[in-house]
Amino acid sequence: MQNPYPPNPQPELARERNRIAADRTLLSFVRSSVTLISIGVGISQVSNILVPVVSYLSYWTYLLSVLMVGVGVITLIFAAHDYQGELQRLRQPEYYFTPRWSLGGVTGWIILIAGGLTLIQLWLTPVY
């Protein structure tokens, strides 16, 4: 007699959940990267308006805007690379967890350090 039950679908459902989770993670990093790039461009535009009034902001706002755009672009590149790696791991017959650095954590620390250094610089710069 033939088995009336289909084979266990759990491994394939787990792969599908992981793929969808990878898609959501990539899209969240795309949104975060676009936000970082937009903030960098916004800082640059505000800096161009304020520099005639407050000249000491010129260098630091330019540096901060370049840093924000750069972090946004690099985060997007790493997120796309991580996504492709996850898809390749999911295509393998055996899926194994591989521990790696958290891209969100690294990006957060870079933004925290950049913001802290900018705050310290603005605090130490005398206002005329």
Side-chain angles (χ1 to χ4, degrees), residues 110-124:
I110 291 171
I111 298 300
L112 180 68
I113 291 169
L117 290 175
T118 303
L119 181 64
I120 290 170
Q121 176 59 34
L122 290 175
W123 188 345
L124 295 177

Side-chain angles (χ1 to χ4, degrees), residues 1-124:
M1 178 173 249
Q2 192 174 10
N3 186 359
Y5 300 108
N8 186 2
Q10 293 300 322
E12 290 307 312
L13 289 175
R15 285 178 189 272
E16 185 62 23
R17 281 192 304 267
N18 286 356
R19 191 194 61 77
I20 292 170
D23 291 346
R24 285 192 307 264
T25 302
L26 176 66
L27 288 175
S28 71
F29 274 111
V30 168
R31 285 189 297 269
S32 298
S33 297
V34 168
T35 301
L36 287 170
I37 292 168
S38 299
I39 289 172
V41 170
I43 289 171
S44 175
Q45 294 300 312
V46 169
S47 164
N48 289 339
I49 294 170
L50 291 179
V51 163
V53 178
V54 187
S55 62
Y56 69 87
L57 286 178
S58 174
Y59 175 74
W60 286 102
T61 55
Y62 175 75
L63 187 64
L64 183 61
S65 65
V66 168
L67 182 69
M68 294 297 267
V69 171
V71 168
V73 170
I74 290 171
T75 299
L76 188 58
I77 291 169
F78 281 129
H81 181 266
D82 188 56
Y83 177 74
Q84 290 300 321
E86 186 65 26
L87 289 183
Q88 286 178 355
R89 283 189 293 278
L90 285 170
R91 287 186 194 109
Q92 300 300 318
E94 294 292 323
Y95 178 77
Y96 295 106
F97 172 73
T98 54
R100 53 191 184 265
W101 286 77
S102 166
L103 183 58
V106 172
T107 303
W109 278 106
I110 291 171
I111 298 300
L112 180 68
I113 291 169
L117 290 175
T118 303
L119 181 64
I120 290 170
Q121 176 59 34
L122 290 175
W123 188 345
L124 295 177

